[in-house]
Amino acid sequence: QHIANNGLVCAHNCTFELSILRHVAHPRYGWPTVPLASWVDTAALAALCGLPVKLSGLARALGTKSQKDTDGAQVMKALMRSTKGPDGWVAPVPTGDQLERLIKYCQLDVRTMLEVLSRLPGTTAEEHAVRHVDLKVNGRGVMLDQLLAHNIAVMSKRRTEELSAQIVEITGGAVAKASATPTLKAWLIEQDVVLAEKPRANGKSTVSIDRNAIDKLLEQPLIEPRIEAVLERRVEASKATSLAKVLRVPEMVGADGRMRYALRYCGAHTGRWSSAGLQLHNMPKVPKAQKAMLDDLRRAVCVGDYDAACM
């Protein structure tokens, strides 16, 4: 009745409860679903205030009497991990003691959330409406091209292997692959290359071959061609390796091919959204002059034409 009358329902990170209600509790047990506008999310309120979003950190920051149950959290995590057997995924079966411990853990979570709610400032009707739209957009999700992502992952792996083989050849086997940082440092030092020092947290320093350091080395007018070739391949390999995240695309999407809850409400202290997973906010803007080239590249990747993609 409370939900039917549009009464408010509170949760910490309500996207979890939304998913459980929509996919488990409602279809299996007939629980009612909660309208998006009825949710009060203490995690969102915390983000709006620039406070820690995790309930444990938020409770500590606000000094609530109730705090997260760390021991109970271990029981919860043990019970949430399924294992893959010959007949599919198998969920662990809790013992009576584990189930009792889990219930107490959940009860303490609720008490902690309610104490947190009592200490957080409310929100304006306008901001509540913004959060409503945020849940609607995130619930709809964005479509991901899984074939494109798969081909990108395959091609980036192949290109990284090619670059590593070239580095092995240039260095005479001294550097086994493009990502071998310690041996690459040692090889460069043997070639009398002066590497920039980078301070560490413990007060000591170490030589660096990060992107900035390599860019500065490549700017030197008298750099030896062999060293230049190795550094250029190292930079390209690091770019190719960064594309490996698309391997996780099948884990990010649902049965309809959409990735959901990738946008984080008030993810930055300024109040703007941030992104998780594939970082939707980091999509580069393509100049008009390069649009035709990018379209050709996309078509080559979609059909798995590695040679055309590398041209």
Side-chain angles (χ1 to χ4, degrees):
Q1 289 177 344
H2 175 80
I3 293 171
N5 293 330
N6 295 319
L8 297 179
V9 178
C10 183
H12 191 83
N13 185 19
C14 71
T15 55
F16 174 79
E17 276 75 12
L18 271 168
S19 299
I20 293 295
L21 283 172
R22 182 178 297 137
H23 299 292
V24 181
H26 177 69
R28 292 187 191 178
Y29 309 114
W31 286 29
T33 56
V34 180
L36 295 182
S38 296
W39 286 103
V40 175
D41 189 342
T42 46
L45 292 175
L48 187 61
C49 297
L51 290 167
V53 175
K54 285 188 175 181
L55 184 58
S56 56
L58 180 59
R60 286 196 300 269
L62 295 178
T64 57
K65 181 179 178 181
S66 299
Q67 296 283 326
K68 282 280 291 187
D69 180 0
T70 54
D71 293 334
Q74 297 302 316
V75 176
M76 178 270 295
K77 290 177 181 177
L79 294 175
M80 64 180 267
R81 294 192 181 103
S82 297
T83 56
K84 194 169 186 179
D87 299 324
W89 290 94
V90 180
V93 178
T95 64
D97 289 343
Q98 285 178 317
L99 191 58
E100 184 179 353
R101 190 72 178 84
L102 183 64
I103 291 171
K104 289 181 180 179
Y105 166 79
C106 293
Q107 290 172 334
L108 182 57
D109 255 18
V110 173
R111 289 199 297 272
T112 304
M113 178 193 67
L114 290 174
E115 283 191 54
V116 161
L117 179 63
S118 69
R119 299 192 183 201
L120 287 170
T123 185
T124 63
E126 181 181 8
E127 192 62 34
H128 185 74
V130 170
R131 174 59 174 165
H132 179 190
V133 174
D134 167 77
L135 290 174
K136 190 174 181 180
V137 170
N138 267 314
R140 183 185 300 126
V142 294
M143 187 71 73
L144 295 184
D145 189 330
Q146 296 184 69
L147 176 61
L148 180 69
H150 172 76
N151 288 349
I152 287 174
V154 171
M155 290 182 179
S156 65
K157 183 175 183 293
R158 178 176 170 181
R159 182 58 181 159
T160 302
E161 290 172 351
E162 287 180 353
L163 293 167
S164 291
Q166 292 170 11
I167 288 177
V168 170
E169 183 179 355
I170 296 170
T171 62
V175 182
K177 56 183 178 178
S179 60
T181 300
T183 52
L184 179 56
K185 284 182 182 180
W187 182 81
L188 289 170
I189 292 171
E190 286 179 3
Q191 311 309 309
D192 296 325
V193 176
V194 179
L195 300 177
E197 291 196 355
K198 187 176 183 179
R200 304 172 98 176
N202 59 8
K204 298 180 181 180
S205 62
T206 182
V207 291
S208 173
I209 52 170
D210 60 16
R211 180 63 186 273
N212 291 332
I214 291 178
D215 286 345
K216 289 180 180 179
L217 289 172
L218 291 172
E219 289 172 0
Q220 296 178 7
L222 300 178
I223 186 171
E224 186 181 334
R226 192 165 58 116
I227 295 171
E228 182 180 18
V230 169
L231 293 178
E232 287 175 345
R233 283 158 177 76
R234 162 82 174 195
V235 170
E236 186 182 346
S238 66
K239 292 179 180 178
T241 302
S242 69
L243 295 174
K245 67 183 71 173
V246 297
L247 285 170
R248 294 180 54 234
V249 164
E251 302 170 7
M252 296 176 181
V253 300
D256 58 358
R258 288 180 175 270
M259 177 175 68
R260 292 175 169 83
Y261 304 114
L263 298 176
R264 290 183 174 177
Y265 172 77
C266 285
H269 71 278
T270 55
R272 68 169 175 80
W273 279 260
S274 64
S275 186
L278 286 184
Q279 296 294 340
L280 298 178
H281 286 179
N282 286 355
M283 299 296 182
K285 293 181 179 179
V286 181
K288 290 183 179 180
Q290 297 181 9
K291 187 177 184 305
M293 180 190 70
L294 185 62
D295 289 340
D296 290 340
L297 176 60
R298 186 183 296 112
R299 281 190 288 269
V301 174
C302 282
V303 298
D305 191 339
Y306 177 79
D307 294 330
C310 289
M311 288 179 61

